[in-house]
Amino acid sequence: MTSTHAFWLAGRQATGEATFDVTSPWDGRLVGQVAVPTDAQIEEAVAAAHAVRDEFAATPAHVRAAALDHVSRRLVERTEEIAQLISAENGKPVKWARGEVGRAVSVFRFAAEEARRFNGGEAQRLDTDAGGVGRLALTRRFPKGAVLGIAPFNFPLNLCAHKIAPAIAVGAPIILKPAPATPLSGLILGELLAETELPAGSWSVLPVPNDRMPALVQDERLPVISFTGSDKVGYAIMDSVPRKHCTLELGGNGAAVVLGDFGSEQDLDWAATRIATFSNYQGGQSCISVQRVIADATVYDRLLPKIVAAVETQVTGDPSDSATDVGPLVSEDAAKRVESWVEEAVQAGAKLLAGGKRDGASYAPTVLADVPADTTLACEEVFGPVLTVKKVDGEAEAFAAVNDSKYGLQAGVFTHDVQTAFRAHRALEVGGVIIGDVPSYRADQMPYGGAKQSGVGREGVRYAMDDYTYERVLVLTGLAL
């Protein structure tokens, strides 16, 4: 069943002069038709966000928190419907889509909680010097202005939530641009926000085509840009608006390190299972999916066949089937790109141990070893269900291998040694180090972001709220302190 979806303009439903089709990557069926906003409607949304910025910033915390709580509750009530929608437009197996809805529930709940305690102010005594006698400083945070949130296709609901919820929590108007391939999940959030009493203009959801984004990006009335996507696009945005505040959550080629002390059969079974699962979940289309396994020589020969066996047990097929682990990529073009990178690596001398086959938009879970360091697969983010395995000699070589990348989002280190854990935390040039597990773990309340070309700034509800605001100091004079 398909439907036509309007977009949300300054808190109300609107239609454009044209529509575009949203189709399933799995079977090509029509999932929905989405209205495209006109230039005049985009201008109306931006003007409304700019005009309401002072009013929205002054909205009582309980009003913003109530709206966020409402969205969280409604997501719970509509979990299965929304999970099926995510699966249909994205190709994500429905079991992972259900998990995504659950995460979005938490994001809005966290934001509601933070809205109630954020911006309470910090007092600082100034009479530490003679000139400050009788003076007291109060520091509070205020929104920088309206936010342009640009979300990707791979988590079409939860990454939209990570743009919207922190903005509402701090009272910053937001214009959300969902990915063209997966706009329906973002529009659902607009539907839920429309049930609240937030002021008109405080939010809009605009499925703007990519070729019309430069003008929106450069509009001075949107001083904050929060972007999640590729490093190429993210840095192009930043370079085009050097005076704006940009938060960029970009790519990665996540490494899972398996050290020698993690060497029992039970340990290696656990590591292999986690690696196989999280190199292929979301079709590998996650910035923190496992792309590289770096294994100590003392465990490599026993670990490698366990990884291959675990990868081969991944169930591929129809994403609407709850038994499916791995569905299609977002498009056939994406699968063809992955196919070409694997073929390049094999031609350069890599050993193909599993997978390596494409069927339309689907690509089989794949494992390679001995991948030459100068191949695309070794250097770039594959964003597909492909895993490379490398043998190293000792902890220092393992950590150096992790850092031998232009990316630095997250890394996983399988070890039992707490001293090793602290050394990893110091040595690894990444935004997050996960001990005893893969790099693919993310809690939505924790700071999330990367080093090097993996981005600038941090997401995670409270950390995004800090990012959307700035400190303003009030000095009170003539006080009897």
Side-chain angles (χ1 to χ4, degrees):
M1 183 177 181
T2 63
S3 59
T4 299
H5 292 259
F7 54 88
W8 296 92
L9 172 63
R12 61 179 174 80
Q13 202 169 40
T15 57
E17 296 174 354
T19 62
F20 65 91
D21 293 342
V22 179
T23 58
S24 165
W26 169 247
D27 56 14
R29 67 182 173 87
L30 182 66
V31 179
Q33 292 181 315
V34 175
V36 180
T38 64
D39 289 342
Q41 289 169 325
I42 294 171
E43 166 59 27
E44 182 182 344
V46 175
H50 183 68
V52 81
R53 67 192 189 284
D54 291 338
E55 175 191 346
F56 193 37
T59 301
H62 74 88
V63 173
R64 288 179 273 117
L68 293 161
D69 275 330
H70 174 83
V71 175
S72 183
R73 287 193 300 270
R74 294 287 284 138
L75 287 170
V76 172
E77 293 168 1
R78 297 177 63 176
T79 291
E80 187 60 25
E81 169 201 349
I82 297 172
Q84 295 290 344
L85 179 65
I86 292 170
S87 181
E89 69 171 343
N90 172 277
K92 178 177 302 193
V94 71
K95 71 176 184 180
W96 292 113
R98 292 181 183 120
E100 181 175 348
V101 179
R103 289 181 60 188
V105 168
S106 296
V107 168
F108 280 96
R109 188 183 75 249
F110 295 147
E113 294 167 355
E114 293 291 353
R116 292 183 171 97
R117 55 177 169 252
F118 187 75
N119 208 29
E122 179 183 55
Q124 184 177 26
R125 65 185 304 159
L126 301 177
D127 61 355
T128 51
D129 291 307
V133 173
R135 297 177 188 268
L136 179 72
L138 295 176
T139 303
R140 296 170 61 194
R141 300 191 70 88
F142 293 87
K144 294 173 180 174
V147 178
L148 173 60
I150 306 172
F153 68 81
N154 57 327
F155 288 85
L157 181 75
N158 196 44
L159 293 183
C160 287
H162 271 286
K163 308 302 181 191
I164 291 173
I168 291 174
V170 300
I174 181 161
I175 292 177
L176 175 73
K177 179 210 176 296
T182 56
L184 303 178
S185 301
L187 292 171
I188 284 285
L189 291 178
E191 184 178 323
L192 302 183
L193 286 167
E195 299 170 353
T196 72
E197 297 181 359
L198 295 175
S202 59
W203 60 273
S204 296
V205 182
L206 303 180
V208 179
N210 287 342
D211 61 5
R212 289 167 59 194
M213 280 302 295
L216 196 55
V217 165
Q218 293 166 18
D219 197 303
E220 294 181 356
R221 294 167 294 179
L222 303 172
V224 178
I225 297 177
S226 178
F227 171 85
T228 302
S230 73
D231 55 340
K232 179 180 178 180
V233 175
Y235 285 119
I237 288 173
M238 177 177 279
D239 290 344
S240 73
V241 287
R243 291 178 177 81
K244 288 196 176 191
H245 179 87
C246 294
T247 297
L248 306 178
E249 197 281 282
L250 306 177
N253 53 2
V257 175
V258 185
L259 294 175
D261 72 293
F262 210 83
S264 72
E265 292 304 312
Q266 183 178 4
D267 285 343
L268 296 180
D269 286 342
W270 161 258
T273 299
R274 298 295 285 176
I275 287 166
T277 298
F278 287 97
S279 64
N280 294 294
Y281 86 126
Q282 327 290 337
Q285 298 170 124
S286 168
C287 298
I288 48 176
S289 67
V290 185
Q291 182 172 334
R292 299 182 292 154
V293 175
I294 299 164
D296 188 86
T298 59
V299 299
Y300 180 90
D301 290 338
R302 289 184 295 136
L303 176 65
L304 184 56
K306 291 178 182 288
I307 290 175
V308 172
V311 166
E312 290 177 337
T313 66
Q314 295 286 300
V315 177
T316 62
D318 185 344
S320 67
D321 187 336
S322 294
T324 297
D325 298 311
V326 187
L329 276 69
V330 72
S331 68
E332 186 169 358
D333 284 344
K336 287 180 178 178
R337 177 190 55 75
V338 172
E339 179 182 44
S340 70
W341 288 15
V342 171
E343 289 176 350
E344 176 202 20
V346 171
Q347 290 170 6
K351 297 177 181 177
L352 180 64
L353 305 177
K357 297 179 181 179
R358 181 181 66 84
D359 181 8
S362 296
Y363 196 80
T366 297
V367 182
L368 300 103
D370 301 330
V371 177
D374 59 350
T375 60
T376 307
L377 190 59
C379 301
E380 301 293 337
E381 178 181 37
V382 65
F383 226 58
V386 177
L387 181 67
T388 69
V389 188
K390 177 184 177 70
K391 182 191 294 186
V392 295
D393 186 11
E395 175 188 305
E397 188 176 337
F399 291 172
V402 174
N403 289 340
D404 186 20
S405 171
K406 66 180 180 179
Y407 298 112
L409 191 48
Q410 292 197 163
V413 180
F414 288 90
T415 181
H416 294 297
D417 189 332
V418 69
Q419 295 294 340
T420 300
F422 279 99
R423 287 194 297 270
H425 196 210
R426 178 176 295 276
L428 298 179
E429 299 167 352
V430 295
V433 178
I434 314 300
I435 300 298
D437 206 350
V438 292
S440 316
Y441 175 78
R442 177 183 180 184
D444 292 285
Q445 72 272 37
M446 76 182 192
Y448 177 75
K452 299 188 281 190
Q453 292 188 34
S454 285
V456 178
R458 292 292 181 268
E459 291 193 339
V461 175
R462 174 56 192 262
Y463 303 90
M465 291 167 68
D466 286 342
D467 218 36
Y468 292 170
T469 57
Y470 69 99
E471 291 178 322
R472 187 185 298 167
V473 177
L474 173 69
V475 177
L476 302 174
T477 305
L479 301 178
L481 298 174

